[in-house]
Amino acid sequence: MIKKHSHYHKLKVIVIILLFFLLLFFMRYNWVNHLSFSNEVKIQHGIMDFAQIDNSNRFKTILDGEWEFFPNTILISRNNKNTTTPIYANLPEAWDTYIQRKPGSVPHGSYYLKIINAPDSNRLYGLTIPASLSPYSLKVNNEYVGEYGNNTTVPRKPSVDARPITYYFPLQPGDNEIIISGFHTNEHVAGGLTKSLIFGDLHSMEGLKWFSAVTQIIVCAIFLFYLIYTILLFIVGIREKSLLYFAILIFSTFITVIVSSNKILLWYVPINWVWSTKLFFFSYIMTMLWFILFLNELIKNYVNTKLLNILIAFCCTYLLFIVIAPIDYVYSTQIVFYILFFVSPIILAIVIYKVAISRQRGAVILLLMATAISNNSLFIMINRSLTTPYSHYPFDLLIAIIALSGFWFMRYFHISVKSKQLSIKLQQELYRKDEFLSNTSYELRTPLQHMLSIAQSLLAKKEQHDLRLLVTIGHHMSFMLDGLLDLIHLKERTINLQIKPINVQHIATSVGDMFQLTIKGKPINLIVDIPADLPPVLVDENRLIQVFINLIHNAIKFTDRGSITVHAKVKNNQLYISITDTGMGIEKSKQEIIFEPYEQVDAHIKSSRHIGLGLGLSICKEIIEMHDGSITVDSTIGQGTTFTFSLPIAKGLIVEQSEPPTSSMLSKYILLQDDLSAIEQELAVSVNQHTDSANVARILIVDSDPLSLQVLLKVLSTEAYKIDTALNGIEAFEKIYKHSYDLVISDIMLPNMSGYELAKQIREQYSISELPILFLTARQQSEDIRLAFLNGANDYVRKPIEYMELKSRVDALIQVKQSSEERLRFEAAWLQAQIQPHFFFNTLNAIISLHGVDDEKMKDLLLAFGNYLQMSFDFQNVDLVVPLDYELKLVRSYLDIEQIRFGDKIQIVWDIPEGLLLNVPPLSIQTLVENAIRHGILPQRGGGTITIRITESNEEYKILIIDNGIGFDTTRPRKQTSVGLINTEQRLKQLFGTELAVESAIGEGTTIAFTIPKSHISKLS
C-alpha cells in the first residue's frame, strides 16, 4: 500500500512538471507569434518593389531575399558600384562562402538594395540592422545615415561588439538605394548579415524597438529590486549563507540580461567583441554556478549533493578558464559552455526531483524553477543559431527567480513559524519547569509544615492519633520522593526488575480494597471486574502495584461521582487491563502529551486535590514499556477516561502459591483517607468537656485535600472551637445553610466550585462582619490576593501555613464576628430600653385618668406597665435567643397596655400551639407586633385585629403577625423607616439565614412572617 502511494506521488510530480513545461512552451510560442510578422516583399536581383507594401497603414517587414553583395569592397557611392561585379546574396546568410581571407586583412564587403516605386510621402522609415557586422556604415541614396564602430578601411584592433540598431531616413519618390558596408573582425563566428533586417514606417519600428528594450529594462528593474531587498535583509542581521548566494545569483542574472538580446550594456559602455564574448560566457556560467550553490545550500539536508558539488567544481574551473584564456581558446572550447549551460539545469531538476518525491516542503516549487531554467537555456541555444530577429523573452528567468525566492521566503517563514512554535514550546517548558519546581516545593514543604504543626500541637497534648498522622504524612512524602527517583532510574533503565508470573486479579483486588477507604463516603463505586481464571502475566509485582495505584488514584482524583471499573481480557498473547472512570475526561489535544514527564492535564483545575508532580503517568508508561507492553488513553470530555495497558502472558508458567499483597506491602503507597468524622467527634467531645458549648465559636474548614483538613483539625484542636469540615464548595454551602458559623476557612482551589465562587455566594447572604472568610492559598501572586478580597474575603493565609499565624488570624476574625453579634443584640436591647416619650406619658396619663373611675382597670394597667418596664431593661435581651414564653410575656405586657388605652379598637387573636418549645431572637416578635399596631391598626378609624400565629412543619417553624389595618402598596419601593425592623431582620439573617417576608394590600392589612429552620435550633441550644 505504501509503495503504491509512493508511485502515485512520483507520477503526480512528473505530470505537474510536464504540464508546467507545456505551459512555458505555450507562453513562449504565443510571445514569439505575437511579435512575429511575415515577409511581405520579394527581393530579386537586388531590387525591391515598394508597391508590394500597403503604405496607407503602419507596416514592418523583413528584408530577406537577393541583395547585391560586393565582397572585399567598400561601396562609397552608387558610382563605384558599376565598376565591380556583384554577387547576389540570399539574406540572411554568411558571406564566408564569397570572401577569401587574405593574410593581414580583415574580411569586409558591401550590400546593395534598390527600392523602386517609392511613394511621394513625407514619412520617415526605419531599418533595423541586427547584431552581425561591426563596424559598418549605412547610406541611403548616397547620403550618410549612420555607422556603428570605427569604420576605418582596415581595423587594427577588435571592434566594438555588434548590437541591433535602428536607423531612420526618408525615401524619395521613385527609386532609392540602400548601401550597407562593413567589416567582420570576429573570425570565430560567421560574417555578414546572418540575421534578418527589418524595415518599416517610423511608428512601427519605434514600437518594435522600445517594446523589446523596455521589456528587458523592466526585467532588470525587478532583479535590482530583489537584489536591494536581499542586501537590506543582510544589513539588518540575517547572515545566512543562502542569502549571500541568492544576492550574487540575482546580480549575475542581471548581467546576463543586459549582455543579451538588445545588449543594453553596450548602449552605455562600449566593449569590444573579445571582452563582450567573455562577459557573455562568464555571466551565464556564473548564474548557473550560483543557482547550483544556492540550491545546494537549500536541499543539502534532504538529499546527497555529491553530483552538485562536482558540477560546482566544473563551473568554477571553466569560469577561471574564461577569464585567463585567450579568446581563441574560449571559442574553441565553447562546447563546454553549451554542455554546462544546458546539462546543469537538467541535473538540478533530477536532484530536486529526488527531494520532491521525498515529500519535502516546497520541493515541487524548486522543481518548477529548474524546469523554467532548463526551458530558458534550451531556447537561448536555439535562438543563437536562428536567423530570425530576436526580441527579449522575459518570463522564464522571472518565473525561475520568483519560484526560487518564493521557496526561500516560504522556507524562511516556515522556519520563523517553527522558531515561534519552538519559542512557545520553550516558554511552556520553562513554565512547566517553574510549575514543577513550585509543585515540588508545595508538595514537599506542605507535608513538612504539617509535621511541624502536629509536633507543635503535641507540645500542648499528646495523642496516639497525632503520632499516627505524622507517620502517614511521612509515607506521603516518601511516596512522592520515590516517584522522582523512579522516573530517573526508569529513564536510565537502571531498575532491576524481578519478573515472575503474577496473578493480576489478586493484585488488582488488593489495591482496590486499599482505595475503598479513600472513597468512603463519596458517591464513587470502585469495581474490580477481573476473572480469577485469567492467565498470569510476566511482571515485577511491586511495579505492577505501582501502576495500578497511579492509574486508580488518577481516576479517583478526577471523578466526583460515578464509577471506576478495572477490567481485563486476553488478546494476541497479551493481557489488556483497562481502568475506566466516569470523570471529567481529557481534551483530545492533551491526550498526545499526557505521558510526558511533568505534564499535567489538570493545570487549569483550581483544586489543591489535583496538584501533583505530573510524574505518575510517565512512570506508568516507562514501567509498562520495560515489560514489553504498551499503554493508551481514550477519553471524552464530560464522559470519562479509559487507560488501557498490556502485559505479556506467562505461557507455560505457574504462579507461585503466595498470599495476596498485604497491607504491609502496600504501606508505602497508602494515601491519606478522607474519613474525618473520627477526628471531628474527638474534637466535639473535648470541647464539650472543657467549655460551655453555648459560647464556643464554630468554624467550617473547606479544603479538597484530606491531609490539609486533618492537620488543620489537629492544629485548631488546641483551642476551644467546634469544627466542621467540607471537601468542596457545594458541600460547604449546604452546611452553611443548615448551621451557623463564626468563621469559614477555605482553600481557594476547590473542585467544581472555587473558593472565589464560594465566597461570592456567602456574601450574597452574609456581610463581612456577619460571617468572616479566611482564605488559604498556595498562589501568592498579587492578582490572586486582589481577587480574594474582591470576592469577599476578610483575610488570607499563605500555604504552607505557619501555626501561630493561622491561630492569630482565626482568633481575630472570630472576635470580629462575635463583636458584630453583640452589637446587634445590644442595639436591639438599647432600642427596647429607649421607650418613646409619648408612649410613656400616654400610659401614665391613662393610669391617672383611671384613678377613682375604674380602680381595678388601673391596677391591671399598673401591673402590665411594671412588667413591660422590667422586661425592657432585662439583660437577657442581649442573648442570641430567648425562650418563646419569655418573648410572648413581653408581647402580652405591651398588648395589655395598648388594649387598656384604646379599648375595643385593638383586638388580639392568639394562634399558638400549647407546649411549644422554641427559642427566638429577643425583641423580635414584640417589635413586629408594635409595628403592626402603630402603622396598621391605630391609623385606621375603627381599629382592627392582630393575629399572632405560629405554625410547625417537618422542616421549620413559621411565626406570622397578621393585621387587618390600612395596609400599603407592595409594588412601590419599601421604605425602611423603623430601625427596630432593620435590626430584627439582620439578626434573623445572621442566626437563621432567613429574612422578613411581607405581604400587604391597601385596605386589607399586612402580614409579616419569618421562619426558623429546625436544623438551626440545636446549634442555638
Side-chain angles (χ1 to χ4, degrees):
M1 183 67 181
I2 295 176
K3 289 183 178 180
K4 183 178 179 180
H5 191 70
S6 176
H7 178 72
Y8 171 76
H9 180 68
K10 291 179 182 179
L11 183 61
K12 183 172 72 172
V13 171
I14 293 173
V15 170
I16 290 174
I17 297 308
L18 289 176
L19 290 175
F20 185 67
F21 183 82
L22 292 174
L23 175 63
L24 293 177
F25 183 84
F26 178 76
M27 289 171 61
R28 184 178 286 268
Y29 173 80
N30 278 277
W31 178 270
V32 172
N33 187 59
H34 174 70
L35 297 178
S36 64
F37 40 88
S38 61
N39 187 3
E40 299 181 5
V41 299
K42 291 183 179 181
I43 302 175
Q44 295 178 340
H45 303 293
I47 299 173
M48 184 195 82
D49 188 354
F50 200 96
Q52 301 175 81
I53 299 172
D54 182 8
N55 191 43
S56 62
N57 298 315
R58 295 179 180 180
F59 72 94
K60 55 182 179 289
T61 182
I62 55 177
L63 300 181
D64 292 350
E66 294 180 346
W67 285 55
E68 291 187 18
F69 175 61
F70 300 89
N72 294 323
T73 301
I74 299 298
L75 293 179
I76 303 302
S77 67
R78 72 181 74 177
N79 296 328
N80 66 338
K81 164 183 174 294
N82 298 324
T83 62
T84 306
T85 304
I87 299 172
Y88 294 105
N90 193 14
L91 297 186
E93 69 173 350
W95 66 22
D96 295 348
T97 56
Y98 308 119
I99 296 178
Q100 294 182 355
R101 292 184 179 271
K102 298 177 182 180
S105 66
V106 177
H108 57 280
S110 299
Y111 293 93
Y112 174 85
L113 176 67
K114 184 177 182 180
I115 300 176
I116 62 175
N117 298 322
D120 184 5
S121 172
N122 293 325
R123 300 177 70 178
L124 286 177
Y125 300 93
L127 177 66
T128 298
I129 300 177
S132 298
L133 296 175
S134 179
Y136 65 84
S137 65
L138 170 64
K139 292 183 178 182
V140 178
N141 295 329
N142 220 24
E143 296 289 335
Y144 173 79
V145 176
E147 68 176 6
Y148 182 75
N150 187 14
N151 192 18
T152 60
T153 305
V154 180
R156 300 183 182 275
K157 58 183 180 180
S159 63
V160 177
D161 193 21
R163 66 180 179 86
I165 299 178
T166 301
Y167 300 94
Y168 301 98
F169 49 85
L171 292 178
Q172 62 188 13
D175 296 343
N176 295 267
E177 295 179 336
I178 296 175
I179 298 175
I180 301 174
S181 302
F183 296 84
H184 186 68
T185 58
N186 186 355
E187 60 186 12
H188 302 288
V189 296
L193 296 175
T194 56
K195 291 187 179 294
S196 298
L197 285 80
I198 305 174
F199 175 69
D201 67 279
L202 173 64
H203 295 291
S204 297
M205 296 305 291
E206 278 288 291
L208 180 64
K209 169 189 171 181
W210 287 109
F211 180 83
S212 178
V214 169
T215 302
Q216 209 164 348
I217 291 171
I218 290 174
V219 173
C220 291
I222 293 174
F223 286 153
L224 283 176
F225 171 79
Y226 272 107
L227 180 60
I228 293 171
Y229 183 71
T230 307
I231 292 173
L232 289 176
L233 288 178
F234 190 83
I235 291 174
V236 298
I238 303 177
R239 298 291 192 269
E240 294 184 10
K241 192 184 295 184
S242 58
L243 187 64
L244 179 63
Y245 291 164
F246 186 74
I248 301 175
L249 167 62
I250 294 296
F251 179 74
S252 59
T253 308
F254 173 79
I255 298 299
T256 63
V257 174
I258 63 176
V259 300
S260 60
S261 188
N262 293 289
K263 299 185 179 180
I264 297 176
L265 179 64
L266 298 182
W267 292 12
Y268 307 101
V269 184
I271 304 175
N272 64 46
W273 65 267
V274 175
W275 286 108
S276 178
T277 302
K278 284 193 172 188
L279 183 59
F280 178 86
F281 286 160
F282 187 89
S283 63
Y284 273 92
I285 298 301
M286 177 67 77
T287 300
M288 200 58 62
L289 170 65
W290 292 111
F291 259 120
I292 298 170
L293 284 170
F294 181 65
L295 288 171
N296 185 60
E297 187 68 22
L298 294 180
I299 66 176
K300 63 183 180 182
N301 296 327
Y302 309 122
V303 71
N304 188 349
T305 58
K306 184 177 180 180
L307 185 59
L308 293 183
N309 292 330
I310 294 173
L311 201 56
I312 291 169
F314 271 112
C315 288
C316 291
T317 303
Y318 187 63
L319 287 172
L320 183 63
F321 173 78
I322 291 172
V323 173
I324 64 177
I327 192 64
D328 298 342
Y329 293 103
V330 174
Y331 267 108
S332 62
T333 58
Q334 64 178 325
I335 185 66
V336 178
F337 168 81
Y338 288 114
I339 291 174
L340 286 175
F341 189 64
F342 182 69
V343 173
S344 295
I346 296 176
I347 294 175
L348 282 176
I350 293 172
V351 174
I352 297 171
Y353 173 75
K354 292 181 180 180
V355 179
I357 62 176
S358 64
R359 298 176 182 274
Q360 296 300 328
R361 182 187 297 270
V364 174
I365 297 178
L366 290 180
L367 198 54
L368 298 180
M369 179 273 305
T371 305
I373 295 175
S374 300
N375 187 69
N376 185 66
S377 300
L378 175 64
F379 277 95
I380 285 178
M381 293 170 60
I382 292 174
N383 275 299
R384 285 181 66 83
S385 62
L386 293 178
T387 61
T388 56
Y390 178 70
S391 180
H392 181 73
Y393 179 74
F395 296 113
D396 283 345
L397 282 179
L398 280 179
I399 290 173
I401 294 298
I402 291 172
L404 191 59
S405 58
F407 170 80
W408 189 71
F409 284 116
M410 183 181 72
R411 178 172 173 265
Y412 174 76
F413 285 118
H414 172 67
I415 292 173
S416 298
V417 171
K418 191 173 181 180
S419 298
K420 186 176 181 180
Q421 292 173 345
L422 290 174
S423 175
I424 294 173
K425 188 174 182 181
L426 177 61
Q427 291 175 356
Q428 291 174 344
E429 290 296 326
L430 291 174
Y431 175 78
R432 285 171 56 190
K433 180 202 72 175
D434 293 340
E435 281 290 306
F436 170 71
L437 293 176
S438 175
N439 291 339
T440 303
S441 173
Y442 175 82
E443 291 290 337
L444 297 181
R445 286 174 59 209
T446 300
L448 283 173
Q449 193 63 43
H450 290 341
M451 295 174 73
L452 290 174
S453 299
I454 294 297
Q456 288 175 333
S457 70
L458 287 175
L459 295 176
K461 59 173 186 176
K462 293 186 178 180
E463 294 184 7
Q464 291 296 318
H465 183 86
D466 296 331
L467 297 175
R468 288 195 304 270
L469 187 55
L470 283 175
V471 172
T472 306
I473 295 172
H475 283 306
H476 185 74
M477 291 185 65
S478 175
F479 179 73
M480 287 186 294
L481 293 174
D482 286 346
L484 286 170
L485 295 174
D486 283 345
L487 181 67
I488 297 172
H489 293 316
L490 287 167
K491 286 290 184 183
E492 297 175 352
R493 292 293 193 267
T494 56
I495 287 183
N496 294 321
L497 299 177
Q498 305 296 325
I499 296 180
K500 59 182 179 180
I502 295 296
N503 189 318
V504 174
Q505 196 264 349
H506 288 172
I507 300 294
T509 301
S510 299
V511 175
D513 291 342
M514 181 192 74
F515 277 107
Q516 292 295 344
L517 294 174
T518 304
I519 62 175
K520 182 180 179 181
K522 293 184 178 180
I524 300 175
N525 190 18
L526 178 58
I527 304 169
V528 179
D529 182 22
I530 299 181
D533 58 351
L534 282 177
V537 294
L538 285 173
V539 70
D540 184 308
E541 181 178 11
N542 288 328
R543 296 301 168 187
L544 180 58
I545 292 174
Q546 190 174 0
V547 170
F548 268 119
I549 286 178
N550 281 336
L551 294 179
I552 295 177
H553 176 242
N554 267 359
I556 293 174
K557 187 164 66 171
F558 296 106
T559 302
D560 293 324
R561 61 181 67 250
S563 63
I564 300 169
T565 305
V566 183
H567 183 68
K569 64 178 179 180
V570 178
K571 183 179 179 182
N572 298 331
N573 297 323
Q574 294 271 327
L575 183 64
Y576 287 84
I577 304 162
S578 61
I579 291 90
T580 302
D581 64 64
T582 58
M584 62 183 63
I586 305 170
E587 295 178 7
K588 199 71 176 179
S589 59
K590 293 287 188 179
Q591 295 178 24
E592 301 175 359
I593 59 174
I594 194 174
F595 296 106
E596 294 182 10
Y598 319 121
E599 187 65 40
Q600 299 198 57
V601 176
D602 55 307
H604 65 286
I605 301 173
K606 307 299 184 184
S607 171
S608 58
R609 180 166 64 100
H610 297 138
I611 292 179
L613 302 183
L615 300 178
L617 292 176
S618 178
I619 291 173
C620 289
K621 183 175 183 292
E622 295 290 343
I623 290 175
I624 292 167
E625 289 180 351
M626 286 185 69
H627 289 85
D628 297 326
S630 62
I631 183 169
T632 59
V633 60
D634 181 29
S635 181
T636 303
I637 293 293
Q639 296 183 13
T641 304
T642 297
F643 284 94
T644 303
F645 64 94
S646 62
L647 293 171
I649 293 175
K651 289 185 177 180
L653 299 178
I654 301 175
V655 179
E656 297 179 3
Q657 295 296 326
S658 62
E659 294 295 327
T662 63
S663 59
S664 61
M665 293 177 62
L666 295 173
S667 62
K668 64 179 291 188
Y669 302 111
I670 291 179
L671 303 176
L672 295 175
Q673 302 170 14
D674 291 356
D675 188 7
L676 306 172
S677 58
I679 301 178
E680 292 181 11
Q681 290 173 4
E682 292 177 13
L683 290 177
V685 172
S686 175
V687 168
N688 290 332
Q689 289 176 348
H690 297 91
T691 56
D692 182 6
S693 60
N695 297 320
V696 172
R698 191 164 190 172
I699 300 174
L700 175 64
I701 304 176
V702 189
D703 199 314
S704 59
D705 182 14
L707 171 61
S708 296
L709 283 177
Q710 294 195 43
V711 172
L712 287 171
L713 282 170
K714 300 307 293 182
V715 167
L716 296 176
S717 67
T718 59
E719 302 296 329
Y721 301 135
K722 188 174 182 180
I723 302 175
D724 292 337
T725 61
L727 290 170
N728 55 66
I730 296 175
E731 181 184 352
F733 199 73
E734 291 176 353
K735 289 191 174 184
I736 291 173
Y737 178 76
K738 294 179 181 178
H739 307 287
S740 178
Y741 293 101
D742 296 287
L743 175 64
V744 175
I745 302 175
S746 174
D747 189 9
I748 287 180
M749 296 184 294
L750 297 174
N752 301 323
M753 177 192 291
S754 70
Y756 296 138
E757 294 170 348
L758 174 63
K760 190 179 294 184
Q761 291 197 19
I762 291 175
R763 287 293 166 256
E764 290 177 359
Q765 185 170 339
Y766 299 97
S767 67
I768 58 174
S769 61
E770 292 172 344
L771 181 54
I773 299 174
L774 175 64
F775 269 144
L776 308 178
T777 175
R779 307 174 70 90
Q780 302 184 14
Q781 288 81 3
S782 58
E783 180 64 20
D784 297 310
I785 304 304
R786 189 179 74 88
L787 283 175
F789 285 113
L790 286 178
N791 284 281
N794 293 69
D795 204 348
Y796 71 93
V797 176
R798 288 189 174 95
K799 288 185 176 182
I801 300 168
E802 292 290 341
Y803 170 70
M804 295 306 299
E805 179 186 5
L806 175 65
K807 279 186 55 57
S808 299
R809 295 182 185 274
V810 167
D811 290 340
L813 292 177
I814 289 176
Q815 288 179 11
V816 169
K817 164 64 185 299
Q818 293 177 344
S819 297
S820 175
E821 287 182 343
E822 290 179 4
R823 179 187 65 79
L824 287 174
R825 293 197 301 272
F826 277 105
E827 182 183 83
W830 178 83
L831 288 172
Q832 183 62 29
Q834 303 302 307
I835 302 174
Q836 295 185 12
H838 73 273
F839 174 76
F840 184 80
F841 288 115
N842 288 338
T843 304
L844 289 178
N845 288 332
I847 294 173
I848 295 172
S849 63
L850 290 173
H851 178 65
V853 177
D854 191 343
D855 292 338
E856 188 66 28
K857 200 171 185 180
M858 181 189 70
K859 182 179 179 181
D860 293 339
L861 182 56
L862 279 172
L863 182 62
F865 187 54
N867 289 335
Y868 180 79
L869 291 176
Q870 180 182 0
M871 296 187 69
S872 294
F873 296 102
D874 195 334
F875 283 102
Q876 196 170 350
N877 291 334
V878 300
D879 292 340
L880 285 176
V881 291
V882 295
L884 177 63
D885 290 341
Y886 177 85
E887 177 70 9
L888 293 180
K889 183 178 179 182
L890 176 62
V891 173
R892 286 191 175 94
S893 297
Y894 172 75
L895 291 176
D896 287 344
I897 293 172
E898 296 294 67
Q899 281 186 313
I900 292 173
R901 289 179 58 202
F902 297 103
D904 295 338
K905 195 174 182 180
I906 299 176
Q907 301 295 323
I908 308 296
V909 176
W910 298 90
D911 185 9
I912 301 174
E914 294 183 1
L916 191 62
L917 298 177
L918 174 63
N919 290 331
V920 298
L923 308 175
S924 55
I925 299 177
Q926 190 274 338
T927 301
L928 300 181
V929 171
E930 183 176 348
N931 182 73
I933 290 176
R934 290 181 180 180
H935 301 289
I937 299 298
L938 293 181
Q940 190 168 250
R941 177 175 297 179
T945 302
I946 293 179
T947 301
I948 302 172
R949 179 177 298 157
I950 300 178
T951 61
E952 180 182 3
S953 64
N954 293 332
E955 298 178 353
E956 62 187 14
Y957 294 98
K958 189 171 185 179
I959 299 172
L960 302 95
I961 310 300
I962 307 169
D963 70 72
N964 58 357
I966 60 175
F968 61 92
D969 187 359
T970 57
T971 60
R972 294 183 178 181
R974 182 180 174 187
K975 296 182 180 180
Q976 294 253 12
T977 57
S978 173
V979 178
L981 286 181
I982 296 174
N983 179 274
T984 300
E985 189 169 46
Q986 286 181 340
R987 288 185 293 137
L988 288 172
K989 187 176 180 181
Q990 188 180 80
L991 292 173
F992 307 121
T994 60
E995 298 179 348
L996 293 176
V998 180
E999 295 180 2
S1000 183
I1002 296 177
E1004 296 182 7
T1006 303
T1007 299
I1008 301 181
F1010 65 89
T1011 59
I1012 300 179
K1014 289 185 176 180
S1015 60
H1016 286 66
I1017 294 177
S1018 59
K1019 71 179 182 180
L1020 299 172
S1021 60

